[in-house]
Amino acid sequence: MCLFCKIVNKEIPSNIVAENDDFFAFHDINPKAPVHILAIPKLHVDSFAETTPEMMAGMTSFIQEITKTENIKDSGYRVITNIGENGGQEVKHLHFHILGGAKLSWDHLTDSNPKAFL
Ligand code: AMP
């Protein structure tokens, strides 16, 4: 069972933000912003590449609700999902990073050097 499946099953503790029948949200253990929450489906899906429009419909509402309860809806926020090797995905269970609570720069979430590819 993967790390995030164990978190959903509460075999591994997490700082829970929200939960319903299909989705689960918890604070990232290594926050990159004042608000850094991970929203995941309870059903194991490897990444965005394998999700369905139906799952994304529920996920969209779930994320939007979290931005209200966390008070970042009006100030703005960022939603990111990393996919696969080049996307920098470390945990192979679909998750959306919800980042906010401060003005986010574009490059502070990456340690890659674009010039290295030129
Ligand atoms: P990614 O690189 O997109 O796969 O992101 C994985 C995220 O999971 C990282 O931001 C980690 O800090 C976070 N993470 C890893 N283990 C845990 C954990 N046990 N509880 C909360 N967040 C975690």
Side-chain angles (χ1 to χ4, degrees):
M1 193 184 287
C2 89
L3 174 66
F4 285 179
C5 282
K6 286 182 182 163
I7 285 179
V8 167
N9 284 344
K10 296 176 180 145
E11 289 171 35
I12 291 177
S14 68
N15 194 348
I16 300 172
V17 172
E19 179 177 9
N20 65 24
D21 286 349
D22 299 321
F23 302 101
F24 195 88
F26 53 102
H27 289 280
D28 195 292
I29 206 167
N30 182 21
K32 301 278 197 297
V35 175
H36 188 171
I37 292 163
L38 300 175
I40 69 175
K42 288 187 168 178
L43 184 73
H44 182 93
V45 174
D46 283 351
S47 80
F48 179 78
E50 281 82 38
T51 192
T52 61
E54 291 73 26
M55 181 181 275
M56 286 306 301
M59 179 62 88
T60 298
S61 302
F62 186 64
I63 290 172
Q64 288 172 342
E65 200 53 45
I66 288 168
T67 66
K68 290 181 205 162
T69 56
E70 294 298 311
N71 270 318
I72 57 171
K73 177 177 182 282
D74 295 333
S75 52
Y77 55 92
R78 189 172 290 164
V79 177
I80 296 173
T81 188
N82 296 324
I83 301 139
E85 182 68 26
N86 280 2
Q89 183 181 6
E90 288 173 7
V91 179
K92 307 297 189 263
H93 181 129
L94 174 62
H95 53 283
F96 289 85
H97 298 259
I98 306 167
L99 299 138
K103 180 102 177 152
L104 303 172
S105 67
W106 184 243
D107 59 0
H108 88 282
L109 298 173
T110 175
D111 54 8
S112 66
N113 176 8
K115 293 200 172 116
F117 298 106
L118 298 176

